[in-house]
Amino acid sequence: MPACIPTRTENAPSGFSPTTRIRPSHGPPPGGDGHRPRFRISGADLSASITVFLIAVPMSLGLAVAIGAPLEAGLLAAAVGGIVAGLLGGSTLQVSGPSAGLTVVTAGLIQNYGWRTTCAITVGAGLLQLVLGSLRAARSALAVSPAIVHGTLAGIGVAIALAQLHIVLGGTPQSSAVANALALPGQFARVAPAAPLIGGLTIAVLVLWPRIPGRTGRALRRIPAALASVAAATALAAVAAPGIARVDLPSWRAHALPELPHGPVLGLLGAVFTVMLVASLESLLSAMAVDKLTADRPGTTGRRADLDRELRGQGIANAVSGLLGGLPVSGGAVRGTANVRAGATGRASTVLHGVWMLLAAGLLVGVLEWMPLAALAALVMVVGLQMVSYAHIRNVHKHREFLVYGATVAGVVGFGVLEGVTSGIAVAVGVALHRLARTRIALHEDGGVHRLLARGQLTFLAVPRLSRTLGQIPPGANAVVELDGSFMDHAAYETLQHWQEAHVAQGGTVDVTGREGSRIAEPTSAAHTCCRPWTPWRNHHCDDRAPDSAGSGNPASLAGSPDPDPDPGPGPGSTPPGTASRSAALRTAVHRGTAVRRTTTPEKTMPHATAPRAHEPHSPALHDGSPATVSAGSLTSRRPGSRQLASGLSSFQRDTAPLVRDELARLAREGQQPSQLFLTCADSRLVTSMITSSGPGDLFTVRNVGNFVPLPGAEASDDSVAAAIEYAVDILRVESITVCGHSGCGAMTALLNDANDAKGTKEVKETANANASDNADNAPDTASTGAGTGTGTSTSTSTSTSTAASTPLRRWLRHGQPSLDRMLSRHHSWARISGRMPADAVEQLCLTNVIQQLEHLRAHESVARRLAEGTLELHGMYFHVGEAQAYLLTDSHELDGVFAQVAPA
């Protein structure tokens, strides 16, 4: 590509030039030996680990009491979950251990099979988790309806609360949730005074601790509410109820290890599957909740959890816990939330929490045995009640899935976890089939128009009713079919299509509309589904095919009438990629006398069809006061440009206008109040509203060739740009001004070509050609071949300097000379993109031009005044067309800036 690349040594690194490609290194990161980063412990992780440890100690003991397992098994499971799952899991900040979700399942297993067989079942569930994680089935496990998942957890929470209420009242829980509910009246009749007092104090502190106001509250909230509640209850029990039942930790010498399971094989397999299902669902849901909390924390750039790795880590932790005689392990939302809010930054907090649990189990037995069982039961009861989330109930009710939620909760509470999940799935399938099959079809007449309303999904089951109702519409009548559903199968579509064709043939009209009355149409071309967000956009070539060299691939391409506008000639707009060959073929055919027809696909509107009528040159509609309308189909004999314009306008009136009419009416009443002035190039590839995700009234846009801002009073100055700046700054009071350049700008290419022509040296041309060949594959959208990929490139390279100097385009390009001088100057560093140097001289000049035009902006009186007041900001932006990537100038106040890549939100 022709280029003038200044030679510099003071600003560029050694062996570096604007054409040097930046290739990513495939070696290990610097400063290491290629291995993973070492395990590091920060102060924040150490503090967070202590916070989680203080929560986990009473929680683990309380869950062991609720399950009926050895109390040391809860401490052991917390230690294994913290260390093993913390090191091997896929969630950095999730904390694993004994979980409330597994309480009901594990309690039932202990009653049916005994403690040692339950440990063996835990090992089997862990191995099954490991297999599923290796098969990458974690995402599939979350494919279950949210109503079933949250219903399962809510049912478990209800069962936990019913069981622990008996302990709080001084009694003993029964074997099932239903039995616990039926035994409550008798338990209230023989309530002991000490246990309810301790339990009530624990619950009161748990609820009120986070709500203590003022500075005292902020200081006290550093202590976890769970620890504060148990500590207060323990102190009260030591004074007021010394004889109350307390924690009794047996000697580790009597610790039971797993044994080979005994019992029916199907029952054992079902138990393994149930433990695996509940532990996996709770762990994965907790991991995603921790991800959300981490993302909301300011200044955090953590990665999302690897759910498959998390499932494998949970499986290994369960296998190890079961082998050591511990409770089943899963990720817990309570501990994970506390870990994130305590400021943890890595795995160290989770692992250290496990270490502290291990030390507590061996060294703090005497302290732990002071805890009253009623306090631990109250703590677990509150956790169970928190599993019944009102937000989840409201959400499933909004999505009309409360029946599924209620069936799952009832099944878990009445029969068990596996039975509850099965009943929830069955109800969900029934609801889905009911919604799919239930369709209401009604017909009524309104002002001579027959309206058919179809509510629900149109499947083959609704075809008989649809056919009968359509048959009631008189032949030749005006009909409107309103579809209020999201699905139509092939049978229903053909039924409606065949009836529509027959009805139109009999002289009737048919409109098929959606719920809001908007017309439903078939897409203009199925090949353009990749551009569906911009359906009115007609100038896309996302499905272009290479033309057949023999000319026989498309029989319609060389037939028909001559094109009335075969070669509109080059202009200041850019030539879309892939159009050069078609334009050349078109010109060749015209010069040879071959008739060429540009084929266009007519827009087929399935729901809107009218009976064919004779041509009426003097239609009465034009004389009776009704508005005259023009359709895209009436312009088929006009030029292709007219057809394209009318088709685009018709699509706007049909699809977009109904959606934006209210907003535009508001803007028409209130006037425009844009927040920024956006000054960019006239290049057709720069769609400002698409790039900035803006809409009507957001941007005050000024576009010209080269995104130039002429200096006030400059030679051949253009007052239109200055007038727009003054209007935006002084009258509209915009808050910011953005100057946006882009890759492959034809104006920048023309400036470089003129510099080469003026220099006229062979060395420059050889260097430019070498640069073009080196960067052809690196910057395909730049004007490296002089073929005119930017604005005005074709005219700029083919016109002599003496002739072109007098053209309006050449006079306008003089405003870019300061940018070229800045790039060639040795007094300014290269403007560049963060992480790499410019790909070629055109990109170098495009970046430099943005900075130079910002300098020109500061010279305008209105801009300088607002900048001095501090009420206006200037921004520089560069858009790489070929990469669809935006870059922002990191500091618009620097004379030589760095453009940083804008990352997805």
Side-chain angles (χ1 to χ4, degrees):
M1 174 180 58
C4 276
I5 303 175
T7 303
R8 301 185 185 180
T9 58
E10 66 274 19
N11 295 320
S14 176
F16 208 74
S17 70
T19 57
T20 304
R21 297 183 186 177
I22 308 300
R23 300 184 183 274
S25 172
H26 297 282
D33 54 358
H35 298 286
R36 289 184 177 180
R38 295 181 178 179
F39 185 79
R40 296 181 179 179
I41 301 176
S42 65
D45 288 332
L46 181 61
S47 174
S49 70
I50 296 175
T51 301
V52 178
F53 162 71
L54 296 177
I55 295 175
V57 169
M59 186 76 67
S60 301
L61 292 174
L63 291 174
V65 171
I67 292 172
L71 298 187
E72 69 272 14
L75 300 176
L76 185 61
V80 172
I83 297 173
V84 177
L87 288 174
L88 303 178
S91 179
T92 306
L93 300 181
Q94 173 158 262
V95 183
S96 301
S99 171
L102 290 164
T103 301
V104 176
V105 178
T106 311
L109 294 179
I110 293 175
Q111 291 180 0
N112 293 332
Y113 300 104
W115 169 244
R116 299 182 68 183
T117 300
T118 301
C119 292
I121 291 174
T122 302
V123 175
L127 296 177
L128 185 55
Q129 283 181 304
L130 182 59
V131 171
L132 293 177
S134 302
L135 296 176
R136 298 185 174 275
R139 291 288 179 184
S140 300
L142 295 176
V144 185
S145 169
I148 297 176
V149 175
H150 296 307
T152 301
L153 297 178
I156 293 173
V158 171
I160 291 173
L162 288 173
Q164 298 312 296
L165 183 57
H166 283 274
I167 300 179
V168 172
L169 296 176
T172 303
Q174 305 299 314
S175 59
S176 67
V178 175
N180 283 322
L182 296 176
L184 275 179
Q187 185 63 57
F188 278 110
R190 57 180 185 274
V191 63
L197 177 64
I198 299 300
L201 176 63
T202 304
I203 296 174
V205 174
L206 272 174
V207 174
L208 298 177
W209 192 262
R211 295 173 172 81
I212 300 177
R215 294 184 178 180
T216 303
R218 287 196 297 270
L220 291 177
R221 282 195 293 271
R222 296 179 181 273
I223 304 174
L227 177 64
S229 62
V230 174
T234 301
L236 179 63
V239 176
I244 195 172
R246 303 177 187 272
V247 170
D248 183 15
L249 289 173
S251 171
W252 282 101
R253 296 178 181 176
H255 183 66
L257 295 177
E259 66 177 1
L260 291 176
H262 301 286
V265 176
L266 291 180
L268 293 172
L269 292 177
V272 169
F273 180 80
T274 303
V275 173
M276 180 277 302
L277 177 65
V278 177
S280 300
L281 287 177
E282 190 168 15
S283 297
L284 297 178
L285 290 175
S286 175
M288 293 190 294
V290 168
D291 274 350
K292 293 180 180 179
L293 288 174
T294 306
D296 294 338
R297 193 168 61 180
T300 301
T301 58
R303 297 181 303 172
R304 295 178 63 86
D306 183 346
L307 296 184
D308 293 306
R309 179 180 174 184
E310 179 65 21
L311 192 56
R312 293 193 298 269
Q314 294 292 334
I316 297 174
N318 268 312
V320 174
S321 180
L323 287 173
L324 297 179
L327 291 174
V329 170
S330 74
V334 175
R335 292 183 296 267
T337 301
N339 192 36
V340 174
R341 291 177 176 171
T345 60
R347 300 179 184 273
S349 62
T350 303
V351 177
L352 286 176
H353 135 270
V355 174
W356 307 146
M357 293 296 300
L358 200 59
L359 293 176
L363 303 178
L364 299 179
V365 173
V367 177
L368 298 178
E369 288 183 339
W370 278 92
M371 295 181 181
L373 294 181
L376 298 178
L379 174 63
V380 176
M381 185 179 72
V382 171
V383 173
L385 291 176
Q386 289 175 346
M387 296 173 68
V388 186
S389 172
Y390 176 72
H392 292 157
I393 295 176
R394 184 174 54 187
N395 192 35
V396 298
H397 185 269
K398 181 177 66 175
H399 291 88
R400 298 185 300 171
E401 291 189 342
F402 185 77
L403 183 61
V404 179
Y405 181 89
T408 307
V409 172
V412 171
V413 173
F415 304 100
V417 174
L418 192 59
E419 292 82 357
V421 172
T422 304
S423 62
I425 293 175
V427 173
V429 171
V431 169
L433 290 176
H434 173 74
R435 291 175 179 173
L436 192 63
R438 184 187 180 190
T439 305
R440 290 175 294 176
I441 301 176
L443 178 66
H444 67 276
E445 184 178 357
D446 183 11
V449 177
H450 295 265
R451 296 185 176 275
L452 185 147
L453 307 179
R455 299 286 186 267
Q457 318 311 318
L458 282 177
T459 65
F460 66 95
L461 298 175
V463 166
R465 282 178 291 157
L466 178 63
S467 299
R468 287 195 301 268
T469 309
L470 290 174
Q472 298 174 12
I473 299 177
N478 297 328
V480 175
V481 179
E482 181 178 336
L483 303 179
D484 184 6
S486 59
F487 177 75
M488 178 193 298
D489 70 0
H490 190 227
Y493 175 81
E494 283 199 344
T495 300
L496 184 59
Q497 180 75 5
H498 293 164
W499 172 84
Q500 173 183 326
E501 293 173 354
H503 189 76
V504 170
Q506 295 173 357
T509 62
V510 178
D511 278 344
V512 179
T513 66
R515 179 183 303 177
E516 303 297 333
S518 58
R519 185 173 299 164
I520 303 175
E522 293 182 358
T524 303
S525 174
H528 294 144
T529 55
C530 62
C531 304
R532 188 171 295 168
W534 304 281
T535 49
W537 177 23
R538 303 299 179 191
N539 191 30
H540 42 61
H541 305 280
C542 56
D543 197 49
D544 284 340
R545 298 291 185 266
D548 191 348
S549 58
S552 58
N554 186 3
S557 62
L558 296 175
S561 60
D563 196 320
D565 188 15
D567 187 10
S574 62
T575 304
T579 59
S581 60
R582 290 193 296 274
S583 300
L586 181 63
R587 287 192 295 268
T588 303
V590 171
H591 286 308
R592 291 179 180 176
T594 306
V596 178
R597 182 180 65 191
R598 295 180 181 175
T599 59
T600 58
T601 304
E603 182 169 327
K604 295 183 289 184
T605 306
M606 188 273 287
H608 178 67
T610 57
R613 292 177 172 86
H615 178 64
E616 300 178 3
H618 302 286
S619 175
L622 300 177
H623 304 286
D624 62 0
S626 60
T629 60
V630 178
S631 64
S634 65
L635 296 173
T636 54
S637 61
R638 300 187 181 182
R639 295 187 176 185
S642 300
R643 291 200 303 269
Q644 180 176 344
L645 174 63
S647 178
L649 293 175
S650 176
S651 297
F652 168 80
Q653 295 299 144
R654 183 190 67 224
D655 301 327
T656 311
L659 303 178
V660 301
R661 184 170 287 118
D662 293 341
E663 178 65 14
L664 290 178
R666 183 190 67 81
L667 291 173
R669 291 191 306 269
E670 301 175 1
Q672 61 170 329
Q673 296 177 346
S675 60
Q676 62 175 302
L677 166 62
F678 198 86
L679 198 151
T680 187
C681 185
D683 194 299
S684 63
R685 297 168 296 179
L686 255 64
V687 185
T688 56
S689 59
M690 181 175 68
I691 296 173
T692 59
S693 298
S694 57
D698 292 339
L699 301 180
F700 187 76
T701 307
V702 176
R703 306 188 67 154
N704 59 58
V705 176
N707 49 276
F708 293 144
V709 180
L711 282 168
E715 181 185 359
S717 178
D718 185 348
D719 288 339
S720 65
V721 178
I725 294 173
E726 181 181 351
Y727 183 79
V729 174
D730 289 342
I731 298 178
L732 296 179
R733 305 293 295 179
V734 296
E735 299 172 358
S736 66
I737 303 178
T738 301
V739 176
C740 176
H742 68 96
S743 60
C745 181
M748 301 301 105
T749 306
L751 287 172
L752 287 172
N753 290 340
D754 286 349
N756 289 338
D757 293 341
K759 204 167 185 179
T761 62
K762 182 178 180 181
E763 178 183 357
V764 172
K765 294 181 179 180
E766 291 176 352
T767 303
N769 292 333
N771 289 334
S773 61
D774 288 340
N775 295 286
D777 59 341
N778 188 42
D781 63 324
T782 60
S784 59
T785 61
T789 59
T791 54
T793 303
S794 179
T795 58
S796 66
T797 57
S798 60
T799 308
S800 65
T801 305
S802 59
T803 305
S806 60
T807 65
L809 179 59
R810 287 299 170 187
R811 289 195 297 271
W812 173 254
L813 289 179
R814 291 178 183 175
H815 296 298
Q817 188 63 38
S819 300
L820 182 61
D821 295 340
R822 185 189 191 94
M823 189 185 80
L824 299 176
S825 172
R826 294 181 178 272
H827 302 291
H828 298 285
S829 299
W830 273 321
R832 61 184 178 86
I833 293 174
S834 178
R836 69 173 177 88
M837 295 297 290
D840 50 42
V842 174
E843 185 171 67
Q844 174 69 72
L845 186 54
C846 291
L847 297 171
T848 305
N849 183 57
V850 172
I851 299 176
Q852 184 63 39
Q853 302 314 313
L854 288 173
E855 288 298 304
H856 290 184
L857 267 175
R858 294 186 180 95
H860 285 257
E861 180 184 356
S862 57
V863 175
R865 183 176 62 256
R866 289 282 303 279
L867 288 175
E869 296 171 357
T871 59
L872 182 67
E873 295 180 353
L874 301 184
H875 302 289
M877 175 180 165
Y878 175 75
F879 185 76
H880 196 293
V881 178
E883 297 175 356
Q885 178 62 56
Y887 299 87
L888 279 178
L889 189 61
T890 54
D891 190 351
S892 61
H893 296 286
E894 295 183 1
L895 296 180
D896 304 291
V898 177
F899 290 79
Q901 178 176 337
V902 179

